Amino acid sequence: MTTFPLSIEFFPPKTPEGMEKLRLVRQQLYALKPEFCSVTFGAGGSTQEGTFSTVRDIQAEGMPAASHLSCIGATQETVRAQLAILKAMGIKRLVALRGDLPSGYGMGGAFQYASDLVAFIRAETGDDFHIEVAVYPEAHPQARSPASDLKAYAAKAEAGANAAITQYFYNADAYFRFVEEADALGITLPVVPGIMPIISSMQLMRFSDACGAEIPRWIRLRLQSFGDDSASIKAFGLDVVTALCEQLRAGGAPGLHFYSMNQSGPTLEICKRLGI
Ligand code: FAD
């Protein structure tokens, strides 16, 4: 068994039963000794209360917690108040994001891009928070070009981000090229690959279409060929994602950030196979 820096992401459950289930899942995942656990904000219609109470629970369990914070449609006053709450809770790490508005809403608000949020957090709170930002090895779906998306990352770094976590991907070359291109621009923050275990093929296809992550044809075809044989999907997914993690580690990735989907099994099994 070796140690390797890991972080694990959760989303806030909507029901008391979901909260209870997540508590058990977290206890199982803490065995991996993650550097921190993070909780998404606003994604899928979740509320600020859901995020903050999950973050509070994680801190109370003795695990460093990171809160995601998205800024689209927010005012300076609301973000200022959120930062004050998180600071009072003893949170030291944020994942600063633009977020997505449901279609039909205009942009508006005090913040247009995540870089505006990073700059605001630094201006308001100095170095109180370690700030992670999101990056996209396969380019953000709304980016004008891969080069302009890299510039958006540069703007987040210049505004004061400490590190980056990627959108998930199944093509390690996209990650390595992204890191190389960022290096060439002088952006040398650690870029931690976001790892999405393959749990269900329908869910993965739906997610990936929405967030612009590519499922390579060879993976898509095999998943389709399994139909609703969930055991085969899981077995194949574990093989594919473990191999991806091995490639990323061997190529120098500074850590792995697991999108747990609030389940412990896949992340635990992948880490076991990696010997972590
Ligand atoms: P930005 O960095 O602002 O980029 C958004 C788009 O604007 C990109 O296309 C970029 O190229 C472009 N852009 C940026 N700056 C400029 C500029 N100056 N000029 C022109 N174009 C520009 N969503 C949630 O709602 N809640 C979460 O908790 C959450 N967690 C996430 C965690 C991770 C690790 C990742 C990878 C994503 C997460 N998301 C979450 C999704 C994220 O909010 C969306 O991908 C969103 O569309 C973009 O957010 P961003 O912070 O990357 O935005």
Side-chain angles (χ1 to χ4, degrees):
M1 290 282 161
T2 55
T3 55
F4 190 69
L6 296 180
S7 50
I8 302 175
E9 181 172 314
F10 302 108
F11 58 84
K14 292 204 173 103
T15 61
E17 297 75 37
M19 293 288 268
E20 213 36 60
K21 188 169 159 257
L22 182 57
R23 213 178 289 282
L24 294 174
V25 165
R26 282 199 304 266
Q27 289 306 328
Q28 290 160 344
L29 287 169
Y30 290 165
L32 296 171
K33 301 199 173 7
E35 281 200 331
F36 66 93
C37 290
S38 80
V39 184
T40 63
F41 185 98
S46 65
T47 62
Q48 172 187 313
E49 286 69 32
T51 300
F52 288 3
S53 71
T54 308
V55 162
R56 194 178 287 113
D57 287 349
I58 294 171
Q59 286 276 109
E61 288 158 355
M63 178 59 59
S67 182
H68 294 213
L69 206 55
S70 69
C71 62
I72 200 156
T75 64
Q76 292 196 344
E77 287 67 34
T78 54
V79 175
R80 192 174 286 127
Q82 287 160 348
L83 292 171
I85 295 171
L86 292 167
K87 225 170 126 173
M89 281 161 56
I91 301 302
K92 300 266 184 268
R93 195 185 282 259
L94 301 174
V95 183
L97 303 144
R98 185 194 69 175
D100 288 312
L101 275 183
S103 57
Y105 283 77
M107 288 285 277
F111 305 93
Q112 201 175 357
Y113 298 116
S115 53
D116 302 329
L117 176 63
V118 175
F120 182 75
I121 297 169
R122 282 285 173 247
E124 290 282 312
T125 60
D127 287 335
D128 288 350
F129 294 105
H130 177 102
I131 304 176
E132 311 270 348
V133 289
V135 292
Y136 304 83
E138 296 177 329
H140 183 267
Q142 288 151 12
R144 281 195 298 266
S145 67
S148 80
D149 209 31
L150 206 55
K151 278 196 191 150
Y153 172 36
K156 293 191 265 200
E158 271 162 37
N162 299 103
I165 302 173
T166 76
Q167 182 59 278
Y168 66 88
F169 55 87
Y170 295 102
N171 173 5
D173 288 344
Y175 168 81
F176 291 124
R177 179 161 287 266
F178 180 85
V179 172
E180 248 175 60
E181 288 178 349
D183 269 353
L185 280 184
I187 321 168
T188 53
L189 305 183
V191 179
V192 176
I195 305 297
M196 178 69 87
I198 298 175
I199 297 169
S200 122
S201 67
M202 282 307 285
Q203 191 186 37
L204 187 71
M205 307 283 179
R206 216 178 41 236
F207 257 20
S208 305
D209 285 347
C211 71
E214 193 197 31
I215 313 284
R217 179 179 155 84
W218 67 274
I219 296 183
R220 190 177 280 271
L221 287 178
R222 276 170 183 73
L223 288 175
Q224 281 166 355
S225 75
F226 294 135
D228 55 10
D229 173 0
S230 62
S232 296
I233 293 170
K234 278 183 192 151
F236 172 71
L238 287 169
D239 287 348
V240 167
V241 178
T242 305
L244 173 69
C245 293
E246 273 164 353
Q247 222 183 330
L248 292 167
R249 242 173 116 189
L256 296 170
H257 178 82
F258 280 92
Y259 296 108
S260 76
M261 305 306 292
N262 289 6
Q263 295 190 28
S264 59
T267 301
L268 284 171
E269 179 60 26
I270 292 165
C271 290
K272 186 173 150 201
R273 293 182 184 198
L274 291 170
I276 297 175

PDB file of all heavy atoms in Angstrom, residues 40-41 43 68 97-100 113-114 134 136 140 142-144 149 152 156 165-167 259, ligand 1:
ATOM      1  N   THR A  40     -20.458  19.872  -3.319  1.00  0.00           N
ATOM      2  CA  THR A  40     -20.887  20.739  -4.422  1.00  0.00           C
ATOM      3  C   THR A  40     -21.918  21.758  -3.941  1.00  0.00           C
ATOM      4  O   THR A  40     -22.572  21.588  -2.903  1.00  0.00           O
ATOM      5  CB  THR A  40     -21.479  19.939  -5.597  1.00  0.00           C
ATOM      6  OG1 THR A  40     -22.654  19.267  -5.128  1.00  0.00           O
ATOM      7  CG2 THR A  40     -20.484  18.935  -6.137  1.00  0.00           C
ATOM      8  N   PHE A  41     -22.064  22.801  -4.745  1.00  0.00           N
ATOM      9  CA  PHE A  41     -22.899  23.933  -4.382  1.00  0.00           C
ATOM     10  C   PHE A  41     -23.823  24.269  -5.546  1.00  0.00           C
ATOM     11  O   PHE A  41     -23.355  24.541  -6.648  1.00  0.00           O
ATOM     12  CB  PHE A  41     -21.988  25.134  -4.101  1.00  0.00           C
ATOM     13  CG  PHE A  41     -22.685  26.367  -3.608  1.00  0.00           C
ATOM     14  CD1 PHE A  41     -22.733  26.655  -2.254  1.00  0.00           C
ATOM     15  CD2 PHE A  41     -23.276  27.253  -4.496  1.00  0.00           C
ATOM     16  CE1 PHE A  41     -23.363  27.799  -1.798  1.00  0.00           C
ATOM     17  CE2 PHE A  41     -23.922  28.397  -4.038  1.00  0.00           C
ATOM     18  CZ  PHE A  41     -23.949  28.672  -2.684  1.00  0.00           C
ATOM     19  N   ALA A  43     -25.401  22.736  -7.627  1.00  0.00           N
ATOM     20  CA  ALA A  43     -25.548  21.832  -8.769  1.00  0.00           C
ATOM     21  C   ALA A  43     -26.819  21.003  -8.599  1.00  0.00           C
ATOM     22  O   ALA A  43     -27.144  20.598  -7.484  1.00  0.00           O
ATOM     23  CB  ALA A  43     -24.326  20.935  -8.900  1.00  0.00           C
ATOM     24  N   HIS A  68     -17.686  24.024  -2.182  1.00  0.00           N
ATOM     25  CA  HIS A  68     -17.759  24.634  -3.500  1.00  0.00           C
ATOM     26  C   HIS A  68     -18.597  25.902  -3.332  1.00  0.00           C
ATOM     27  O   HIS A  68     -19.480  25.968  -2.468  1.00  0.00           O
ATOM     28  CB  HIS A  68     -18.442  23.708  -4.503  1.00  0.00           C
ATOM     29  CG  HIS A  68     -17.669  22.452  -4.798  1.00  0.00           C
ATOM     30  ND1 HIS A  68     -17.687  21.835  -6.021  1.00  0.00           N
ATOM     31  CD2 HIS A  68     -16.853  21.704  -4.025  1.00  0.00           C
ATOM     32  CE1 HIS A  68     -16.917  20.765  -6.004  1.00  0.00           C
ATOM     33  NE2 HIS A  68     -16.410  20.647  -4.785  1.00  0.00           N
ATOM     34  N   LEU A  97     -16.290  28.564  -8.358  1.00  0.00           N
ATOM     35  CA  LEU A  97     -16.844  28.234  -9.675  1.00  0.00           C
ATOM     36  C   LEU A  97     -17.780  29.310 -10.175  1.00  0.00           C
ATOM     37  O   LEU A  97     -18.362  30.061  -9.384  1.00  0.00           O
ATOM     38  CB  LEU A  97     -17.683  26.947  -9.555  1.00  0.00           C
ATOM     39  CG  LEU A  97     -16.932  25.758  -9.006  1.00  0.00           C
ATOM     40  CD1 LEU A  97     -17.840  24.928  -8.142  1.00  0.00           C
ATOM     41  CD2 LEU A  97     -16.325  24.962 -10.126  1.00  0.00           C
ATOM     42  N   ARG A  98     -17.968  29.302 -11.490  1.00  0.00           N
ATOM     43  CA  ARG A  98     -19.026  30.159 -12.026  1.00  0.00           C
ATOM     44  C   ARG A  98     -20.382  29.514 -11.777  1.00  0.00           C
ATOM     45  O   ARG A  98     -21.326  30.174 -11.371  1.00  0.00           O
ATOM     46  CB  ARG A  98     -18.821  30.359 -13.535  1.00  0.00           C
ATOM     47  CG  ARG A  98     -19.826  31.339 -14.108  1.00  0.00           C
ATOM     48  CD  ARG A  98     -19.861  31.287 -15.609  1.00  0.00           C
ATOM     49  NE  ARG A  98     -20.437  30.036 -16.092  1.00  0.00           N
ATOM     50  CZ  ARG A  98     -20.663  29.769 -17.357  1.00  0.00           C
ATOM     51  NH1 ARG A  98     -20.340  30.647 -18.287  1.00  0.00           N
ATOM     52  NH2 ARG A  98     -21.199  28.608 -17.722  1.00  0.00           N
ATOM     53  N   GLY A  99     -20.491  28.216 -12.052  1.00  0.00           N
ATOM     54  CA  GLY A  99     -21.792  27.550 -11.953  1.00  0.00           C
ATOM     55  C   GLY A  99     -22.569  27.709 -13.239  1.00  0.00           C
ATOM     56  O   GLY A  99     -22.131  28.381 -14.176  1.00  0.00           O
ATOM     57  N   ASP A 100     -23.704  27.069 -13.301  1.00  0.00           N
ATOM     58  CA  ASP A 100     -24.552  27.114 -14.493  1.00  0.00           C
ATOM     59  C   ASP A 100     -25.950  27.539 -14.094  1.00  0.00           C
ATOM     60  O   ASP A 100     -26.491  27.038 -13.109  1.00  0.00           O
ATOM     61  CB  ASP A 100     -24.657  25.712 -15.126  1.00  0.00           C
ATOM     62  CG  ASP A 100     -23.361  25.307 -15.797  1.00  0.00           C
ATOM     63  OD1 ASP A 100     -22.823  26.128 -16.560  1.00  0.00           O
ATOM     64  OD2 ASP A 100     -22.895  24.184 -15.548  1.00  0.00           O
ATOM     65  N   TYR A 113     -17.607  35.599 -14.482  1.00  0.00           N
ATOM     66  CA  TYR A 113     -16.767  34.405 -14.618  1.00  0.00           C
ATOM     67  C   TYR A 113     -16.215  34.001 -13.249  1.00  0.00           C
ATOM     68  O   TYR A 113     -16.132  34.832 -12.336  1.00  0.00           O
ATOM     69  CB  TYR A 113     -15.597  34.678 -15.575  1.00  0.00           C
ATOM     70  CG  TYR A 113     -16.035  35.007 -16.967  1.00  0.00           C
ATOM     71  CD1 TYR A 113     -15.786  36.266 -17.522  1.00  0.00           C
ATOM     72  CD2 TYR A 113     -16.706  34.065 -17.745  1.00  0.00           C
ATOM     73  CE1 TYR A 113     -16.196  36.569 -18.810  1.00  0.00           C
ATOM     74  CE2 TYR A 113     -17.123  34.363 -19.034  1.00  0.00           C
ATOM     75  CZ  TYR A 113     -16.865  35.616 -19.561  1.00  0.00           C
ATOM     76  OH  TYR A 113     -17.284  35.907 -20.827  1.00  0.00           O
ATOM     77  N   ALA A 114     -15.752  32.755 -13.168  1.00  0.00           N
ATOM     78  CA  ALA A 114     -15.166  32.287 -11.907  1.00  0.00           C
ATOM     79  C   ALA A 114     -13.971  33.152 -11.500  1.00  0.00           C
ATOM     80  O   ALA A 114     -13.722  33.354 -10.310  1.00  0.00           O
ATOM     81  CB  ALA A 114     -14.744  30.828 -12.048  1.00  0.00           C
ATOM     82  N   ALA A 134     -11.902  25.138 -11.323  1.00  0.00           N
ATOM     83  CA  ALA A 134     -12.199  24.046 -12.265  1.00  0.00           C
ATOM     84  C   ALA A 134     -11.483  24.290 -13.585  1.00  0.00           C
ATOM     85  O   ALA A 134     -11.416  25.428 -14.058  1.00  0.00           O
ATOM     86  CB  ALA A 134     -13.716  23.992 -12.510  1.00  0.00           C
ATOM     87  N   TYR A 136     -10.699  22.266 -17.665  1.00  0.00           N
ATOM     88  CA  TYR A 136     -11.355  21.363 -18.616  1.00  0.00           C
ATOM     89  C   TYR A 136     -10.352  20.865 -19.668  1.00  0.00           C
ATOM     90  O   TYR A 136     -10.146  21.535 -20.685  1.00  0.00           O
ATOM     91  CB  TYR A 136     -12.523  22.101 -19.288  1.00  0.00           C
ATOM     92  CG  TYR A 136     -13.487  22.639 -18.256  1.00  0.00           C
ATOM     93  CD1 TYR A 136     -13.249  23.868 -17.609  1.00  0.00           C
ATOM     94  CD2 TYR A 136     -14.582  21.896 -17.854  1.00  0.00           C
ATOM     95  CE1 TYR A 136     -14.085  24.333 -16.606  1.00  0.00           C
ATOM     96  CE2 TYR A 136     -15.431  22.359 -16.860  1.00  0.00           C
ATOM     97  CZ  TYR A 136     -15.174  23.568 -16.241  1.00  0.00           C
ATOM     98  OH  TYR A 136     -16.004  24.019 -15.242  1.00  0.00           O
ATOM     99  N   HIS A 140     -14.064  23.554 -21.936  1.00  0.00           N
ATOM    100  CA  HIS A 140     -15.418  23.800 -21.422  1.00  0.00           C
ATOM    101  C   HIS A 140     -16.381  23.906 -22.612  1.00  0.00           C
ATOM    102  O   HIS A 140     -16.025  24.481 -23.640  1.00  0.00           O
ATOM    103  CB  HIS A 140     -15.406  25.096 -20.593  1.00  0.00           C
ATOM    104  CG  HIS A 140     -16.722  25.395 -19.955  1.00  0.00           C
ATOM    105  ND1 HIS A 140     -17.675  26.202 -20.541  1.00  0.00           N
ATOM    106  CD2 HIS A 140     -17.253  24.980 -18.785  1.00  0.00           C
ATOM    107  CE1 HIS A 140     -18.743  26.270 -19.736  1.00  0.00           C
ATOM    108  NE2 HIS A 140     -18.508  25.536 -18.675  1.00  0.00           N
ATOM    109  N   GLN A 142     -18.772  25.782 -23.351  1.00  0.00           N
ATOM    110  CA  GLN A 142     -19.092  27.113 -23.876  1.00  0.00           C
ATOM    111  C   GLN A 142     -17.855  27.904 -24.303  1.00  0.00           C
ATOM    112  O   GLN A 142     -17.966  29.076 -24.684  1.00  0.00           O
ATOM    113  CB  GLN A 142     -19.844  27.933 -22.808  1.00  0.00           C
ATOM    114  CG  GLN A 142     -21.261  27.448 -22.593  1.00  0.00           C
ATOM    115  CD  GLN A 142     -21.753  27.706 -21.174  1.00  0.00           C
ATOM    116  OE1 GLN A 142     -21.134  28.432 -20.400  1.00  0.00           O
ATOM    117  NE2 GLN A 142     -22.862  27.088 -20.838  1.00  0.00           N
ATOM    118  N   ALA A 143     -16.685  27.286 -24.230  1.00  0.00           N
ATOM    119  CA  ALA A 143     -15.467  28.044 -24.567  1.00  0.00           C
ATOM    120  C   ALA A 143     -15.432  28.306 -26.074  1.00  0.00           C
ATOM    121  O   ALA A 143     -15.830  27.445 -26.869  1.00  0.00           O
ATOM    122  CB  ALA A 143     -14.234  27.259 -24.146  1.00  0.00           C
ATOM    123  N   ARG A 144     -14.935  29.497 -26.445  1.00  0.00           N
ATOM    124  CA  ARG A 144     -14.821  29.810 -27.881  1.00  0.00           C
ATOM    125  C   ARG A 144     -13.813  28.880 -28.551  1.00  0.00           C
ATOM    126  O   ARG A 144     -13.973  28.501 -29.691  1.00  0.00           O
ATOM    127  CB  ARG A 144     -14.398  31.273 -28.053  1.00  0.00           C
ATOM    128  CG  ARG A 144     -15.555  32.264 -27.886  1.00  0.00           C
ATOM    129  CD  ARG A 144     -15.157  33.628 -28.429  1.00  0.00           C
ATOM    130  NE  ARG A 144     -14.016  34.174 -27.677  1.00  0.00           N
ATOM    131  CZ  ARG A 144     -14.135  34.993 -26.650  1.00  0.00           C
ATOM    132  NH1 ARG A 144     -15.319  35.371 -26.257  1.00  0.00           N
ATOM    133  NH2 ARG A 144     -13.066  35.449 -26.030  1.00  0.00           N
ATOM    134  N   ASP A 149     -10.155  28.940 -23.534  1.00  0.00           N
ATOM    135  CA  ASP A 149     -10.442  28.295 -22.250  1.00  0.00           C
ATOM    136  C   ASP A 149      -9.198  28.268 -21.365  1.00  0.00           C
ATOM    137  O   ASP A 149      -9.283  28.431 -20.138  1.00  0.00           O
ATOM    138  CB  ASP A 149     -10.952  26.868 -22.496  1.00  0.00           C
ATOM    139  CG  ASP A 149     -11.899  26.403 -21.409  1.00  0.00           C
ATOM    140  OD1 ASP A 149     -12.610  27.251 -20.828  1.00  0.00           O
ATOM    141  OD2 ASP A 149     -11.929  25.197 -21.126  1.00  0.00           O
ATOM    142  N   ALA A 152      -8.917  31.492 -19.806  1.00  0.00           N
ATOM    143  CA  ALA A 152      -9.832  31.619 -18.662  1.00  0.00           C
ATOM    144  C   ALA A 152      -9.169  31.012 -17.423  1.00  0.00           C
ATOM    145  O   ALA A 152      -9.300  31.539 -16.308  1.00  0.00           O
ATOM    146  CB  ALA A 152     -11.149  30.918 -18.964  1.00  0.00           C
ATOM    147  N   LYS A 156      -7.969  32.832 -13.816  1.00  0.00           N
ATOM    148  CA  LYS A 156      -8.292  32.345 -12.463  1.00  0.00           C
ATOM    149  C   LYS A 156      -7.008  32.234 -11.643  1.00  0.00           C
ATOM    150  O   LYS A 156      -6.987  32.559 -10.454  1.00  0.00           O
ATOM    151  CB  LYS A 156      -9.021  30.994 -12.542  1.00  0.00           C
ATOM    152  CG  LYS A 156     -10.406  31.127 -13.182  1.00  0.00           C
ATOM    153  CD  LYS A 156     -11.250  29.874 -13.043  1.00  0.00           C
ATOM    154  CE  LYS A 156     -11.165  28.960 -14.218  1.00  0.00           C
ATOM    155  NZ  LYS A 156     -12.302  28.014 -14.312  1.00  0.00           N
ATOM    156  N   ILE A 165      -8.746  21.609 -10.258  1.00  0.00           N
ATOM    157  CA  ILE A 165      -9.296  20.253 -10.353  1.00  0.00           C
ATOM    158  C   ILE A 165      -9.956  20.157 -11.720  1.00  0.00           C
ATOM    159  O   ILE A 165     -10.673  21.077 -12.135  1.00  0.00           O
ATOM    160  CB  ILE A 165     -10.356  19.992  -9.259  1.00  0.00           C
ATOM    161  CG1 ILE A 165      -9.757  20.203  -7.861  1.00  0.00           C
ATOM    162  CG2 ILE A 165     -10.939  18.589  -9.395  1.00  0.00           C
ATOM    163  CD1 ILE A 165     -10.784  20.127  -6.732  1.00  0.00           C
ATOM    164  N   THR A 166      -9.732  19.040 -12.411  1.00  0.00           N
ATOM    165  CA  THR A 166     -10.291  18.966 -13.771  1.00  0.00           C
ATOM    166  C   THR A 166     -11.707  18.396 -13.801  1.00  0.00           C
ATOM    167  O   THR A 166     -12.098  17.621 -12.931  1.00  0.00           O
ATOM    168  CB  THR A 166      -9.440  18.068 -14.708  1.00  0.00           C
ATOM    169  OG1 THR A 166      -9.698  16.691 -14.402  1.00  0.00           O
ATOM    170  CG2 THR A 166      -7.961  18.371 -14.623  1.00  0.00           C
ATOM    171  N   GLN A 167     -12.408  18.760 -14.843  1.00  0.00           N
ATOM    172  CA  GLN A 167     -13.605  18.015 -15.242  1.00  0.00           C
ATOM    173  C   GLN A 167     -13.157  16.589 -15.530  1.00  0.00           C
ATOM    174  O   GLN A 167     -11.988  16.369 -15.865  1.00  0.00           O
ATOM    175  CB  GLN A 167     -14.200  18.670 -16.513  1.00  0.00           C
ATOM    176  CG  GLN A 167     -15.455  18.038 -17.018  1.00  0.00           C
ATOM    177  CD  GLN A 167     -16.545  18.082 -15.966  1.00  0.00           C
ATOM    178  OE1 GLN A 167     -16.576  17.227 -15.064  1.00  0.00           O
ATOM    179  NE2 GLN A 167     -17.432  19.052 -16.030  1.00  0.00           N
ATOM    180  N   TYR A 259     -14.962  11.975  -7.959  1.00  0.00           N
ATOM    181  CA  TYR A 259     -16.382  12.321  -7.938  1.00  0.00           C
ATOM    182  C   TYR A 259     -17.099  11.072  -7.417  1.00  0.00           C
ATOM    183  O   TYR A 259     -17.374  10.135  -8.184  1.00  0.00           O
ATOM    184  CB  TYR A 259     -16.867  12.667  -9.352  1.00  0.00           C
ATOM    185  CG  TYR A 259     -16.195  13.898  -9.941  1.00  0.00           C
ATOM    186  CD1 TYR A 259     -15.255  13.818 -10.960  1.00  0.00           C
ATOM    187  CD2 TYR A 259     -16.502  15.160  -9.443  1.00  0.00           C
ATOM    188  CE1 TYR A 259     -14.650  14.957 -11.483  1.00  0.00           C
ATOM    189  CE2 TYR A 259     -15.899  16.304  -9.958  1.00  0.00           C
ATOM    190  CZ  TYR A 259     -14.977  16.184 -10.975  1.00  0.00           C
ATOM    191  OH  TYR A 259     -14.377  17.316 -11.478  1.00  0.00           O
TER     192      TYR A 259
HETATM  193  P1  FAD B   1     -15.422  29.893 -15.766  1.00  0.00           P
HETATM  194  O1  FAD B   1     -14.002  29.659 -15.452  1.00  0.00           O
HETATM  195  O2  FAD B   1     -15.980  31.253 -15.504  1.00  0.00           O
HETATM  196  O3  FAD B   1     -15.626  29.535 -17.309  1.00  0.00           O
HETATM  197  C1  FAD B   1     -16.928  29.470 -17.870  1.00  0.00           C
HETATM  198  C2  FAD B   1     -16.842  29.696 -19.372  1.00  0.00           C
HETATM  199  O4  FAD B   1     -16.516  31.062 -19.629  1.00  0.00           O
HETATM  200  C3  FAD B   1     -15.753  28.871 -20.073  1.00  0.00           C
HETATM  201  O5  FAD B   1     -16.240  28.513 -21.334  1.00  0.00           O
HETATM  202  C4  FAD B   1     -14.593  29.838 -20.208  1.00  0.00           C
HETATM  203  O6  FAD B   1     -13.745  29.522 -21.303  1.00  0.00           O
HETATM  204  C5  FAD B   1     -15.334  31.163 -20.423  1.00  0.00           C
HETATM  205  N1  FAD B   1     -14.584  32.329 -19.926  1.00  0.00           N
HETATM  206  C6  FAD B   1     -14.050  32.508 -18.709  1.00  0.00           C
HETATM  207  N2  FAD B   1     -13.482  33.733 -18.608  1.00  0.00           N
HETATM  208  C7  FAD B   1     -13.681  34.340 -19.797  1.00  0.00           C
HETATM  209  C8  FAD B   1     -13.356  35.634 -20.331  1.00  0.00           C
HETATM  210  N3  FAD B   1     -12.710  36.543 -19.583  1.00  0.00           N
HETATM  211  N4  FAD B   1     -13.741  35.921 -21.593  1.00  0.00           N
HETATM  212  C9  FAD B   1     -14.416  34.998 -22.347  1.00  0.00           C
HETATM  213  N5  FAD B   1     -14.761  33.766 -21.900  1.00  0.00           N
HETATM  214  C10 FAD B   1     -14.392  33.446 -20.645  1.00  0.00           C
HETATM  215  N6  FAD B   1     -21.175  23.502 -10.828  1.00  0.00           N
HETATM  216  C11 FAD B   1     -21.998  23.844  -9.822  1.00  0.00           C
HETATM  217  O7  FAD B   1     -23.052  24.427 -10.065  1.00  0.00           O
HETATM  218  N7  FAD B   1     -21.703  23.526  -8.503  1.00  0.00           N
HETATM  219  C12 FAD B   1     -20.562  22.894  -8.161  1.00  0.00           C
HETATM  220  O8  FAD B   1     -20.321  22.624  -6.987  1.00  0.00           O
HETATM  221  C13 FAD B   1     -19.656  22.533  -9.200  1.00  0.00           C
HETATM  222  N8  FAD B   1     -18.482  21.926  -8.917  1.00  0.00           N
HETATM  223  C14 FAD B   1     -17.588  21.669  -9.919  1.00  0.00           C
HETATM  224  C15 FAD B   1     -16.352  21.122  -9.597  1.00  0.00           C
HETATM  225  C16 FAD B   1     -15.403  20.848 -10.579  1.00  0.00           C
HETATM  226  C17 FAD B   1     -14.061  20.278 -10.199  1.00  0.00           C
HETATM  227  C18 FAD B   1     -15.729  21.105 -11.945  1.00  0.00           C
HETATM  228  C19 FAD B   1     -14.743  20.784 -13.037  1.00  0.00           C
HETATM  229  C20 FAD B   1     -16.954  21.664 -12.274  1.00  0.00           C
HETATM  230  C21 FAD B   1     -17.898  21.970 -11.279  1.00  0.00           C
HETATM  231  N9  FAD B   1     -19.129  22.558 -11.564  1.00  0.00           N
HETATM  232  C22 FAD B   1     -20.000  22.858 -10.545  1.00  0.00           C
HETATM  233  C23 FAD B   1     -19.521  22.872 -12.960  1.00  0.00           C
HETATM  234  C24 FAD B   1     -19.163  24.319 -13.353  1.00  0.00           C
HETATM  235  O9  FAD B   1     -19.890  25.231 -12.576  1.00  0.00           O
HETATM  236  C25 FAD B   1     -19.508  24.503 -14.825  1.00  0.00           C
HETATM  237  O10 FAD B   1     -18.639  23.747 -15.629  1.00  0.00           O
HETATM  238  C26 FAD B   1     -19.588  25.954 -15.310  1.00  0.00           C
HETATM  239  O11 FAD B   1     -20.208  25.944 -16.590  1.00  0.00           O
HETATM  240  C27 FAD B   1     -18.252  26.637 -15.474  1.00  0.00           C
HETATM  241  O12 FAD B   1     -17.701  26.951 -14.270  1.00  0.00           O
HETATM  242  P2  FAD B   1     -16.204  27.541 -14.183  1.00  0.00           P
HETATM  243  O13 FAD B   1     -15.972  27.864 -12.791  1.00  0.00           O
HETATM  244  O14 FAD B   1     -15.262  26.655 -14.877  1.00  0.00           O
HETATM  245  O15 FAD B   1     -16.402  28.892 -15.054  1.00  0.00           O
END
